[in-house]
Amino acid sequence: MAAPPEITINNLEGTWRMSKTLSDNMDPALELQGMPWILRKAVSFATITGQLSQTRDEKGITVIEVVQTATGGIKGENEIYRLDGSETTLGSGMFGVQKIRSRWLDISGTENANEAGRPVNIAGKPTNPWLLEGWLREGDPDSPGHINALVVNEKAGWTSEQVWGFADIEGSRRRVTKFLVSKGSETAKILTVYDWLGKK
């Protein structure tokens, strides 16, 4: 189901289900992340649902918590994103120990650009152009319209850069996350599309 107009990057709270028909196959990314074949197969059959809460702490920092559930015997993952660029550590049974940094992202302005005017990611490196393409630009033009996250697993040697936002997918406004998973010289680009299930 398409996202209603009142649901924006500043108000993601609610229940979202990853669309199997509209999302890319996640297997190339999961393989780079070291997930065994049998578990990747189980993930491909699972229905993954996320309950998102979006609040502000006492310092005014936006905090997004994602509580995931999955069918097929797959254990859900809980994730916390603090949109101030600070680092949090997450222990995951599926992905191991991960370090997460996240922030607001202005993909069309100069706030997140280097001296040459090229957008940079949260680690200060040039952002892959694919991550910046195909988005709807919504809301206040003077406010960042997207979220950028960087997940690092030092032990396994992979990174996952993400951009969150809304895009037109087959004529419907959908919440989308783009993942660029890298390990050594290998990369996998994954677009995930979410169905809005409501404020449950």
Side-chain angles (χ1 to χ4, degrees):
M1 179 179 176
E6 67 271 17
I7 300 301
T8 68
I9 201 68
N10 296 302
N11 176 29
L12 294 173
E13 188 150 331
T15 305
W16 303 86
R17 180 181 59 214
M18 192 175 79
S19 170
K20 291 184 180 181
T21 57
L22 298 176
S23 300
D24 291 342
N25 178 12
M26 297 182 67
D27 194 75
L30 297 176
E31 184 176 7
L32 280 182
Q33 292 172 310
M35 185 177 291
W37 177 86
I38 190 67
L39 187 52
R40 300 201 309 269
K41 201 68 176 176
V43 169
S44 72
F45 287 111
T47 298
I48 300 173
T49 303
Q51 179 72 43
L52 272 66
S53 66
Q54 186 165 349
T55 59
R56 289 180 180 269
D57 67 12
E58 66 279 0
K59 297 180 180 179
I61 304 301
T62 298
V63 180
I64 298 175
E65 183 174 4
V66 184
V67 179
Q68 292 183 351
T69 57
T71 60
I74 303 297
K75 181 176 174 56
E77 299 281 320
N78 293 355
E79 302 166 346
I80 296 178
Y81 299 86
R82 292 182 53 82
L83 304 188
D84 62 350
S86 62
E87 184 177 273
T88 59
T89 300
L90 171 69
S92 164
M94 189 176 294
F95 295 106
V97 177
Q98 305 162 79
K99 295 181 178 180
I100 302 175
R101 297 171 62 196
S102 52
R103 64 169 183 181
W104 292 107
L105 174 67
D106 179 7
I107 64 172
S108 58
T110 59
E111 181 179 349
N112 305 119
N114 59 18
E115 293 181 356
R118 183 176 178 183
V120 295
N121 64 20
I122 198 167
K125 298 179 180 179
T127 303
N128 186 291
W130 175 78
L131 290 169
L132 305 175
E133 298 169 351
W135 298 105
L136 294 173
R137 187 65 175 97
E138 303 179 320
D140 185 347
D142 296 324
S143 299
H146 300 81
I147 293 170
N148 177 213
L150 180 65
V151 181
V152 178
N153 185 314
E154 294 178 342
K155 183 176 181 180
W158 58 260
T159 64
S160 174
E161 186 175 359
Q162 308 170 17
V163 175
W164 304 12
F166 289 83
D168 186 315
I169 305 293
E170 297 186 357
S172 295
R173 177 179 174 270
R174 300 278 185 155
R175 183 172 81 85
V176 166
T177 299
K178 287 187 173 186
F179 297 85
L180 181 67
V181 178
S182 303
K183 183 175 182 179
S185 61
E186 297 183 272
T187 61
K189 298 175 181 178
I190 308 295
L191 181 144
T192 56
V193 181
Y194 299 92
D195 294 324
W196 168 250
L197 300 184
K199 287 186 174 292
K200 299 180 182 178

